[in-house]
Amino acid sequence: MRIDLPEKVEYIIETLHKAGYEAYAVGGCVRDRMLGREPKDWDVTTLADPYQVKALFRRTVDTGIKHGTVTVMFGETGYEVTTYRLDGEYEDLRHPKEVTFTKSLQEDLKRRDFTINAMAYNHKDGLVDLFGGEEDLKKGIIRCVGNPGERFDEDALRILRALRFSAQLGFSIEPATEAAIRERSTHLEKISAERIRDELNKLLLSAMPERLTTLEDCGIAEVVLPEAVALLRQKELVNPILHGLLDYTKCEEKDERTALVLCWATLLNAALLFSGMDENENRKKAVRRILQRLKFDNDTIQKAAALAEFSTEPVVADAYTIRKQMHRMSEAVFDLWLVFQSRTRLPGREPVARMLLEQAVAIVDEIRSAPYCVSLKGLAVNGADLIAAGRRPGVELGEVLNQLLELVLERPELNKKELLLEIAEKINPQKQE
Ligand code: ATP
Ligand code: MG
């Protein structure tokens, strides 16, 4: 078997060979290459210790030197080179107490999680496959290296990794591996929220997001996403919703972060609606709470929570309403919301009709085809202008600006400085209260 390696990976392996050290591409990249998929990153495993690796390459980063990992840099791209190692005894279902380097490739491959992830390759020796990884790739099976129970006891994150690979590759989980997972669902309580989040993200962005329901089948949803358990139990209801997430990940113009906002908003909003949480404000708060627990960044949390809040807001083909929606949601959320409303299937609700959506999109384009104003920033006057015209600074000033904005949302043609100053003269918010 010959596997194409990127030029830089060949160079790294060759440089190590010339210096007398064994070296191989290893793990996910070998797996992906054998499947004809483009690997996300390339990892090299070698007999050389980290300091020997550093001595051979011009630019390196000490990524995890204690664990044997040095990143070799070429321009912006880094390749992780890790010394053959064994993982010592595991302390807390996640972290090996110590890492020991070894001279044996076999030992290094043995510590890896699944057979399909435990293969190494270089041009000189070809494929090194000690645990039947190639056969499992052909059969489409995820199987632990060694005794599954022991491997999940060492590191419970592997449980989620198994389910995530099954969704990414469309593979089934080998029965003994699956049985071991079912017996250990609560072990995930010990795993950090960030790691759980990363695995769930990969699952949602995978080719088969509907496999999220296997989390419920294995008792894991109760631990990592209890709010969605009731919905995940209703396969007929949830499968089309989850399958629909592909719409977010397939459209190429969307980046991964945006797709994740849409995926999480869809999943959580549906789960909360399904459990009877009808108040928009409550769903917004609940989405925020769940995503905070999973340690998402603020931007993702805020946007997903807003989508849940506005999920019952109708799409209309009316310019005034659309300008008001852009103002209330903020434009960034509004754009996401249109995608969300057009693609999302919610329990008991049809997606927005295509015609209506096209009309709404045409109106949005029209609004944006010329200078427009849907926020205080776009208003032709600001606080300083009003003060220059004789207004006193203070709360009242903000009130006047808000009233001017309301007016401009309704009648955009009024967004001219002289006109607005003239109108402002006639506004006295204190009297109007
Ligand atoms: P991805 O496509 O997500 O990068 P990957 O298989 O490359 O998948 P990485 O997290 O990049 O996964 O890890 C690289 C390799 O390290 C894996 O293929 C596997 O051999 C090993 N590995 C990673 N995490 C674990 C773990 N928790 N337990 C055992 N081996 C692991
Ligand atoms: Mg990888």
Side-chain angles (χ1 to χ4, degrees):
M1 157 157 340
R2 192 180 162 90
I3 294 176
D4 275 341
L5 301 176
E7 187 197 328
K8 300 290 191 261
V9 174
E10 278 184 5
Y11 172 77
I12 292 172
I13 292 176
E14 222 165 276
T15 307
L16 285 159
H17 279 175
K18 280 189 192 143
Y21 307 112
E22 294 172 14
Y24 299 84
V26 71
C29 55
V30 175
R31 173 201 69 218
D32 286 343
R33 260 286 172 250
M34 290 171 75
L35 286 170
R37 298 161 65 101
E38 198 46 50
K40 264 202 332 276
D41 37 43
W42 286 85
D43 298 314
V44 171
T45 186
T46 180
L47 181 65
D49 76 32
Y51 297 97
Q52 292 165 330
V53 174
K54 276 165 67 100
L56 287 172
F57 300 96
R58 191 157 346 133
R59 280 179 58 221
T60 59
V61 178
D62 296 358
T63 315
I65 224 161
K66 267 204 288 195
H67 296 94
T69 304
V70 168
T71 303
V72 176
M73 298 300 300
F74 296 100
E76 297 283 288
T77 318
Y79 300 86
E80 286 196 355
V81 179
T82 304
T83 307
Y84 292 167
R85 60 175 223 218
L86 326 163
D87 291 338
E89 212 180 304
Y90 282 77
E91 239 172 350
D92 51 1
L93 302 177
R94 176 66 195 112
H95 295 106
K97 242 194 272 183
E98 64 203 327
V99 172
T100 324
F101 298 143
T102 166
K103 301 261 178 255
S104 149
L105 172 65
Q106 177 175 0
E107 291 291 339
D108 180 86
L109 294 178
K110 213 165 106 187
R111 74 171 167 92
R112 295 172 184 271
D113 47 7
F114 307 111
T115 58
I116 58 169
N117 289 347
M119 292 181 279
Y121 174 87
N122 66 26
H123 292 325
K124 190 159 68 77
D125 302 331
L127 187 71
V128 181
D129 174 18
L130 307 173
F131 308 103
E134 187 179 9
E135 198 181 324
D136 284 344
L137 267 190
K138 282 200 188 116
K139 289 200 246 167
I141 284 177
I142 295 172
R143 179 202 309 270
C144 281
V145 173
N147 177 304
E150 285 171 16
R151 304 311 310 281
F152 292 130
D153 285 345
E154 287 169 0
D155 178 3
L157 186 74
R158 292 174 187 154
I159 293 176
L160 271 185
R161 282 175 58 90
L163 302 182
R164 179 261 283 195
F165 284 123
S166 121
Q168 283 180 323
L169 307 173
F171 282 19
S172 57
I173 299 178
E174 176 268 333
T177 299
E178 190 186 319
I181 289 177
R182 285 176 191 277
E183 287 161 17
R184 286 169 181 77
S185 55
T186 54
H187 284 16
L188 280 162
E189 284 163 5
K190 298 265 172 33
I191 300 297
S192 78
E194 289 87 345
R195 287 174 184 277
I196 290 177
R197 173 201 64 203
D198 291 347
E199 292 301 322
L200 292 178
N201 282 347
K202 287 180 183 172
L203 211 161
L204 289 174
L205 297 178
S206 74
M208 303 180 80
E210 60 272 27
R211 293 248 170 131
L212 192 72
T213 55
T214 53
L215 255 66
E216 205 285 313
D217 298 338
C218 298
I220 296 164
E222 313 245 357
V223 182
V224 302
L225 213 53
E227 296 85 353
V229 168
L231 178 69
L232 292 175
R233 276 194 189 135
Q234 305 294 319
K235 297 271 189 318
E236 275 155 50
L237 197 64
V238 77
N239 276 336
I241 296 175
L242 291 173
H243 189 74
L245 299 183
L246 282 178
D247 282 349
Y248 299 143
T249 43
K250 270 192 307 205
C251 54
E252 307 233 315
E253 78 274 19
K254 294 272 175 317
D255 58 295
E256 197 170 288
R257 277 173 63 111
T258 307
L260 280 173
V261 169
L262 289 160
C263 287
W264 279 100
T266 303
L267 170 66
L268 296 180
N269 191 51
L272 295 166
L273 277 173
F274 183 74
S275 61
M277 197 182 278
D278 294 327
E279 284 284 324
N280 292 343
E281 190 62 26
N282 291 343
R283 284 200 314 287
K284 169 180 155 184
K285 285 188 189 144
V287 168
R288 196 181 286 154
R289 188 169 31 81
I290 297 166
L291 294 183
Q292 271 166 353
R293 187 182 73 215
L294 287 168
K295 302 279 196 278
F296 274 90
D297 60 288
N298 284 334
D299 183 63
T300 302
I301 295 173
Q302 186 262 331
K303 284 179 175 153
L307 289 178
E309 178 185 6
F310 294 114
S311 69
T312 53
E313 173 103 12
V315 174
V316 290
D318 168 67
Y320 176 34
T321 311
I322 287 178
R323 286 193 298 270
K324 278 196 295 190
Q325 287 173 332
M326 287 172 147
H327 166 57
R328 261 198 314 138
M329 297 182 199
S330 86
E331 282 193 76
V333 170
F334 175 85
D335 289 337
L336 278 177
W337 173 81
L338 260 192
V339 179
F340 182 78
Q341 295 299 60
S342 62
R343 304 248 169 102
T344 305
R345 269 160 279 225
L346 282 177
R349 210 195 63 188
E350 293 295 310
V352 177
R354 211 190 159 82
M355 268 272 280
L356 179 60
L357 190 79
E358 279 168 10
Q359 287 168 347
V361 168
I363 292 172
V364 174
D365 288 346
E366 165 94 40
I367 291 174
R368 286 181 172 154
S369 66
Y372 64 101
C373 164
V374 292
S375 70
L376 287 177
K377 237 174 46 207
L379 209 57
V381 296
N382 59 25
D385 297 328
L386 293 183
I387 291 168
R391 279 265 167 192
R392 266 180 295 131
V395 189
E396 194 191 287
L397 196 73
E399 274 296 312
V400 176
L401 286 170
N402 281 330
Q403 287 194 37
L404 293 176
L405 176 59
E406 293 294 327
L407 199 66
V408 168
L409 287 172
E410 191 178 347
R411 297 177 54 195
E413 71 278 8
L414 296 181
N415 195 24
K416 303 215 168 57
K417 192 165 173 182
E418 303 80 66
L419 274 178
L420 291 183
L421 285 175
E422 219 172 276
I423 296 166
E425 293 258 313
K426 298 181 195 125
I427 300 178
N428 185 339
Q430 274 169 337
K431 270 189 199 153
Q432 279 184 351
E433 263 170 21

